[in-house]
Amino acid sequence: MNFVYKAEAFTQEELDYEYKEVITTFYKRVKILLHYQNMALSNPTHIKRLLLFFLGFMKKKLRT
Amino acid sequence: MNDIIFINPPYEQIAPGNDHVKHVINRSPSLGLLLLAAQARKDGYSPKIIESDLENLSPQTVANMVLEINPKFVGITLFTVGVFNAAIIAKLIKEKNPNIVIMVGGPHISSMGFETMQKFENFDIAALYEGELILNKLLSSIENNDPLEEVQGIVYRDENNTLRRTPPPPSIKDLDSLPIPAWDLLPNFPKAYLPAIFDYPRAPVATYSASRGCPFKCEFCDTSTFGTKIRYNSSKKVHEIMKHLSLEYGIKHLQFVDDLFVANNAKVLELCELLITDKVDMTWSCTARVDTVKPDTLKKMKEAGCWEISFGLESGSDEMLKNMKKSITAEVSARAVNWTSEAGIRVKGLFMLGYPGETKESVKVTKEFIKSLPLTTMNLSKFTPYPGSQFIKSYTEHLLEKKIGIDLTV
Ligand code: B12
């Protein structure tokens, strides 16, 4: 991650935490998750890429 | 045999063990290199393009490929994030074959060309600003042994190894005169070059820029390559390129990567009319500012195939927007996002976290703002100061003094 500037009001950990918070605020909502599920199902390249991603992820999990 | 090789150096620093991420991130090629390769071919050269990350190549492998082909020239494109790997490639090439002329260009060079040449002795010539005409003049000057001081827009080493900088060239006024990007040089194009997952409705996908430049003065943005005066392709040319991509490569979606695609509503409407009357089977996405879009234009854009617009919304806090010199307010942002969504176009909101002045309160305001908008995608970056931005010009000393930034100047 390009971490080269830290706003004065935050520690680096706090900023990392807020980063995750803002992302989840948006993406962890039913209507957004449904939207992406529909998108994935409507496009073969999305499905293929997601599968490859999850396969790689599972391999990593099994290794560690 | 290739006499000039263009290289996009490895950038992505995916943490070890996380290779699976490669399947979902952006895999589009450098449009700059496609245009430069097309220009070189027009000038009689036989170019090759190496996309290091997309072909999974290390600096060593890239250098070996170059040494094997043994071209006269190498041209490396540079975002700031690619400088160190590019320097490694140049060193490995020069160690084995010092006769290959290594040129660098791109956004990092447009803003830090001189300093980069000072730091990295294996780069022979740096080309600042937009590169097509500079490349044309530079190659012919080297071939004919003409003095390099006559080539505008470069930094070079003279016979005493002293760095010399030539004055900037005039910007390219007639974008239609530029060659069509050399997509045919990319191995396995378009199949192997998808943008990030969910960034397109249909594949295959290509990128194109229908204008250059942006007059706005957002403090974090680097406009040193294309400048502040906007120049446009004619709508006819853009329509022709879209037809070409559709007929030659079966492209189904086009991403316009202009600094600011919706700068002039009349221009956009003209292109939309062409796309409505002479249909191309292609959807497209583009960039706009929240204060440049209008409801009627948005409706026409939808009719002409527009799928998604990216807006730099940055923050929900007016105080933060002011700090960034964005010259918009959250209210104007919300209005534009709603108009776009009502027109049936998806909205990607680009946000930034941790700009100077950011507080826990302003982050809270941004979170609420994000939830209140009909966005379909949200991208968040932690603020990173880049050379060429007004921020760096104003604050570098302050950053280094306080040791809260790393030195990005090389
Ligand atoms: C599309 C895009 C992307 C795509 C890249 C796709 C790709 N493979 O190129 C994606 C989304 C991946 C991306 C990511 C990032 N991007 Co970006 N991106 C752009 C954008 C909007 C368009 C690029 C483009 O195609 N331009 C059109 C072509 C024709 O221009 P060009 O590539 O600059 O090439 C011309 C000249 O530079 C010159 N030239 C270039 N190379 C060479 C080489 C030689 C030898 C010569 C002679 C000339 C020359 O000639 C070319 C033709 O005129 C630009 C803004 C802009 N308008 O340029 C930002 C921009 C390049 N991105 C920027 C940044 C900061 C990033 C990120 C670091 C963001 C982040 N925090 O993660 C990442 C890093 C990328 C990475 N690989 O890790 C900054 C770069 C600033 C800097 N100093 O490095 C820019 C300028 C935005 C800005 N205004 O601040 N980006």
Side-chain angles (χ1 to χ4, degrees), chain A residues 2, chain B residues 4-13 26-36 51 53-54 74-82 102-112 125-136 138 154 172 178 199 207-209 211-213 220-226 255-260 287 348 379 381-384 386-389:
Chain A
N2 293 316
Chain B
I4 180 161
I5 300 186
F6 292 100
I7 300 172
N8 199 359
Y11 294 117
E12 302 290 357
Q13 300 289 334
N26 190 313
R27 300 183 61 79
S28 41
S30 157
L31 182 60
L33 290 190
L34 288 166
L35 280 156
L36 294 167
E51 281 287 351
D53 279 332
L54 305 188
V74 161
I76 309 181
T77 189
L78 286 179
F79 286 19
T80 296
V81 287
I102 300 186
M103 307 171 290
V104 285
H108 182 75
I109 295 302
S110 296
S111 54
M112 306 283 315
I125 300 164
L128 287 59
Y129 323 110
E130 48 198 339
E132 293 87 347
L133 300 188
I134 298 179
L135 184 74
N136 163 285
L138 181 59
I154 62 166
I172 301 172
L178 295 176
D199 246 3
T207 57
Y208 187 67
S209 171
S211 65
R212 289 182 176 183
F220 52 81
C221 184
D222 168 17
T223 52
S224 37
T225 301
F226 297 128
Q255 288 188 326
F256 286 106
V257 295
D258 308 39
D259 286 316
L260 181 58
T287 53
K348 184 196 271 190
N379 273 20
S381 314
K382 285 180 198 154
F383 168 59
T384 308
Y386 280 103
S389 66

Side-chain angles (χ1 to χ4, degrees), chain B residues 266-330:
Chain B
K267 273 262 161 212
V268 175
L269 285 171
E270 193 180 67
L271 173 64
C272 290
E273 285 302 345
L274 272 176
L275 287 169
I276 291 165
T277 48
D278 188 359
K279 269 201 167 20
V280 184
D281 178 20
M282 200 180 279
T283 45
W284 45 279
S285 39
C286 67
T287 53
R289 274 179 60 96
V290 292
D291 54 357
T292 58
V293 289
K294 295 188 181 143
D296 287 349
T297 313
L298 289 164
K299 281 182 202 138
K300 267 277 177 274
M301 287 167 75
K302 171 70 186 173
E303 208 184 326
C306 181
W307 176 73
E308 181 178 78
I309 301 182
S310 296
F311 290 107
L313 304 178
E314 322 301 353
S315 171
S317 148
D318 283 345
E319 183 79 25
M320 290 307 299
L321 291 169
K322 212 164 147 204
N323 286 354
M324 296 171 189
K325 311 227 167 21
K326 229 3 242 201
S327 59
I328 55 168
T329 59

Side-chain angles (χ1 to χ4, degrees), chain B residues 208-264:
Chain B
Y208 187 67
S209 171
S211 65
R212 289 182 176 183
C214 176
F216 292 91
K217 298 197 164 50
C218 308
E219 199 179 47
F220 52 81
C221 184
D222 168 17
T223 52
S224 37
T225 301
F226 297 128
T228 51
K229 194 162 184 307
I230 311 193
R231 294 144 294 136
Y232 306 89
N233 267 136
S234 68
S235 304
K236 196 166 155 270
K237 178 81 178 188
V238 181
H239 186 243
E240 258 170 43
I241 299 253
M242 290 172 86
K243 270 189 160 167
H244 169 79
L245 283 167
S246 170
L247 293 174
E248 287 291 316
Y249 305 104
I251 298 297
K252 289 271 188 292
H253 183 77
L254 185 63
Q255 288 188 326
F256 286 106
V257 295
D258 308 39
D259 286 316
L260 181 58
F261 180 83
V262 184
N264 175 331

Side-chain angles (χ1 to χ4, degrees), chain A residues 2 4-5 7-10 14 16 18-19 21 25-27 29 35-36 39 43 45-46 49 52-53 60, chain B residues 17-18 23 25 195 198 200-201 346 354 356 360 371 376-378 380 382 384-386 399 402 404-406:
Chain A
N2 293 316
V4 294
Y5 179 81
E8 302 209 345
F10 298 85
E14 282 170 342
D16 283 344
E18 290 295 354
Y19 181 84
E21 273 287 301
T25 298
F26 180 77
Y27 283 102
R29 287 183 297 167
H35 175 81
Y36 279 95
M39 248 190 112
N43 186 316
T45 69
H46 293 331
R49 295 176 81 179
L52 288 169
F53 175 82
K60 180 192 160 183
Chain B
N18 286 310
H23 297 298
I25 58 178
F198 300 133
Y200 55 94
R346 288 166 57 98
K360 291 185 180 141
K371 277 199 285 186
T376 33
T377 307
M378 195 271 299
L380 183 67
K382 285 180 198 154
T384 308
Y386 280 103
L399 283 177
K402 292 197 146 191
I404 51 175
I406 61 161

